[in-house]
Amino acid sequence: MVKVKEDLTKRVFDKLTVIKQVADYITPQGNHHAQWLCICECGNEIITLGSRLKNKQVRSCGCLAKELMSKRLKKYNTYDITAEYGIGYLDDNTEFY
């Protein structure tokens, strides 16, 4: 394993907590890069490069992207409740009372 300048063990990066250093990633050119085992808030484990954690290229096991996508795609109805009864509007402007 590569001797690291900075031990990332127990550090938290967004949703990931670093558990320990694991076997190095070796590039096709033969360069060694430190990899870390992390546990996500959702319980999944991933292995990633320390540089990707520090540069915020990796923020979760993938669950964060799913969460953000579902929020972005979620549709909300609009309402007008200024009168004695409420009027709701669907995405296609259909009214409901």
Side-chain angles (χ1 to χ4, degrees):
M1 279 194 273
V2 170
K3 185 175 179 181
V4 292
K5 295 177 186 175
E6 182 180 8
D7 185 11
L8 301 180
T9 305
K10 297 183 183 176
R11 288 202 35 202
V12 177
F13 297 90
D14 290 305
K15 290 187 169 228
L16 296 173
T17 302
V18 179
I19 304 298
K20 65 180 181 177
Q21 186 178 0
V22 294
D24 297 343
Y25 169 73
I26 303 171
T27 66
Q29 295 80 21
N31 299 323
H32 290 248
H33 298 279
Q35 291 193 117
W36 300 87
L37 173 66
C38 303
I39 188 161
C40 188
E41 287 178 1
C42 70
N44 291 331
E45 292 182 349
I46 67 162
I47 295 175
T48 188
L49 297 173
S51 60
R52 297 189 77 199
L53 288 168
K54 290 191 260 183
N55 294 334
K56 296 193 177 209
Q57 292 174 316
V58 175
R59 298 173 55 202
S60 72
C61 66
C63 65
L64 182 60
K66 291 176 189 174
E67 181 181 312
L68 294 174
M69 183 64 77
S70 68
K71 284 182 182 178
R72 189 170 26 160
L73 295 177
K74 189 171 184 176
K75 297 182 180 183
Y76 297 94
N77 296 329
T78 56
Y79 302 93
D80 177 7
I81 52 173
T82 56
E84 292 180 16
Y85 57 90
I87 302 173
Y89 302 94
L90 300 175
D91 290 334
D92 62 356
N93 290 329
T94 305
E95 294 181 357
F96 63 91
Y97 301 90

